[in-house]
Amino acid sequence: QVQLVESGGGWVQAGGSLRLSCAASGIIFSSNVMGWYRQAPGKQRELVALITSNGITNYGDSVKGRFTISRDNAKNTVSLQLNSLKPEDTAVYYCRTFGQYVYWGQGTQVTVSS
């Protein structure tokens, strides 16, 4: 079975940092584009960042310069470093695959207080 497990979410004050991690199993990880999305209450789910199999990255406009996505193909993990956090970054963050099939993790909550 395919499984994506996120970790690293939590509570942080504005200006602080968190590092999220997604561990994948049941897929050929090195051949997949991977991404992070987020969804705040009452808002649509939006793309935060993605990374191709060879390390090319793209970011949503609201997080450029503050967040960094990376992957470790040897460990089947994709990470998201969140710096200079703002209250508007508060959301559930989801890991997903791109390809013939789409799989989602269960999400991890990030809460940023002012």
Side-chain angles (χ1 to χ4, degrees):
Q1 64 180 40
V2 175
Q3 186 167 281
L4 304 176
V5 180
E6 300 101 332
S7 62
W11 178 89
V12 65
Q13 295 182 13
S17 299
L18 288 172
R19 186 173 180 85
L20 310 182
S21 182
C22 172
S25 61
I27 61 171
I28 305 174
F29 182 83
S30 61
S31 67
N32 275 267
V33 175
M34 301 294 297
W36 285 94
Y37 285 71
R38 68 184 182 185
Q39 187 168 24
K43 297 184 179 180
Q44 297 184 32
R45 189 170 297 187
E46 65 174 347
L47 175 67
V48 176
L50 63 83
I51 183 166
T52 69
S53 59
N54 62 353
I56 299 173
T57 60
N58 281 284
Y59 297 91
D61 289 340
S62 64
V63 307
K64 287 181 179 177
R66 299 188 298 122
F67 294 4
T68 303
I69 189 171
S70 61
R71 68 190 296 159
D72 187 336
N73 289 340
K75 297 181 178 179
N76 285 5
T77 60
V78 58
S79 299
L80 185 70
Q81 179 69 42
L82 297 77
N83 296 328
S84 302
L85 283 162
K86 306 173 181 179
E88 50 264 44
D89 294 319
T90 296
V92 178
Y93 285 71
Y94 298 91
C95 178
R96 69 156 284 182
T97 65
F98 294 79
Q100 183 177 6
Y101 301 100
V102 177
Y103 298 97
W104 295 89
Q106 64 181 351
T108 185
Q109 176 71 46
V110 171
T111 303
V112 184
S113 62
S114 60

